[in-house]
Amino acid sequence: MLKGTVVTIQRHIVEQERMFPKATGDFTGLLWDLTLAAKMISREVNKAGIVDIIGLTGESNVHGEAVKKLDIFANDLICKSMEHGGHLSVMASEENEDIIPIPNEFPKGKYVLLFDPLDGSSNIDANVSVGTIFSIFRKKTAGSESLKEDCLRKGVEQVAAGYIVYGSSTMMVYTTGNGVHGFTLDPSIGEFLLSHENIRIPAKGRIYSINEGNANTWDEGTKRYIAHLKESDSATGRPYSLRYIGSLVADFHRNLLYGGIFLYPADYKDPKKPKAKLRLLYEANPLAFIVEQAGGMASTGKERILDIQATELHQKMPLIIGSKEDVMAYERFFGQKQ
Ligand code: P6P
């Protein structure tokens, strides 16, 4: 990239497309539509305190979680922004129990979009950063029908993934398999401008992110690993620092830039039936693609996230993600018995 020039995300996406001689511009159009939706969600999130869209809708989503108006707004906006472009054959969202077919009045395309429209939304009223997460596959079935089968994939098959974090500034971070690049929204011109080219996560961090309130539900290996982090580190003579916002995109984004490890292990209260919380398709997979492209690692504790074959839209998975040396250290502890 030319140094010192102003690069918009639109221009960056076109330059990424040029790396694929057979590219038809379809993929570029899809990402452009996503950036428009991101700008409109950012506008609403940033004025939520003013306009009466804070508060519960009185409804709940497929997971029984109370739904905030901004969740609904973000979900509807992404669907409406993406369904008519002719780039997609099917969508699936955290907010919708089943797949979101492309209406018959619109042309269908060859891509699949999976997304969490507003992750961390329970934090909205407290003005804590929230985020949108997206994962894109190429349709694998023949024909143009909207099929769930095209959504149930292995993370390694993703052609793009990214997130938008709505914080002190709005940033969009994405990968198409050629590194990870971050863009900061300049609201005065309504453009995402390249601010973090080719993000690399430090091999080892000094931050761990986990909900310590769940400590009694952890398996023995996780307990030992977290206790290990609280001892003085041989290299620095200091323990790790705990940083946990409770908003996945915000916690992940900080650790991507600074280094560190985010952990949401399964609940082992019933060792025969460990219970995970985070979703594979539109939380773990896209962030795993990003972190690996940035030189990091994403694991369940014993398996690479991107190798897991999805079997359900809202399938949950333990997520251990961040600096490679930290995730590898966790894997050495995980599974240790008494
Ligand atoms: P807990 C938000 O509800 C979310 O899905 C993620 O954004 C976040 O990392 C996690 O749940 C927080 O969960 O159980 O620590 O409140």
Side-chain angles (χ1 to χ4, degrees), residues 65 94 116 118-123 129-131 133 210-214 244-252 262-264 277-279 283 319:
E65 294 163 342
E94 189 214 19
D116 184 348
L118 210 59
D119 179 81
S121 55
S122 56
N123 294 295
S129 299
V130 292
I133 313 173
I210 192 169
N211 183 340
E212 287 264 5
N214 297 332
Y244 191 71
I245 301 172
S247 189
L248 175 60
V249 174
D251 277 316
F252 175 80
F262 172 95
L263 310 97
Y264 211 106
K277 170 170 187 179
L278 299 181
R279 283 81 170 190
E283 290 176 335
L319 178 61

Side-chain angles (χ1 to χ4, degrees), residues 273-335:
K273 283 170 65 185
K275 275 171 50 186
K277 170 170 187 179
L278 299 181
R279 283 81 170 190
L280 174 62
L281 282 181
Y282 40 78
E283 290 176 335
N285 264 345
L287 298 184
F289 187 16
I290 290 169
V291 85
E292 287 200 4
Q293 281 288 312
M297 220 170 133
S299 162
T300 62
K302 56 177 186 273
E303 192 177 2
R304 181 191 183 212
I305 289 286
L306 294 182
D307 287 340
I308 296 166
Q309 172 60 54
T311 53
E312 294 161 35
L313 282 184
H314 304 292
Q315 170 172 3
K316 298 180 179 181
M317 198 57 58
L319 178 61
I320 314 298
I321 187 167
S323 295
K324 179 172 277 190
E325 288 180 27
D326 293 311
V327 175
M328 290 171 74
Y330 176 85
E331 290 188 335
R332 290 194 292 274
F333 278 86
F334 183 71

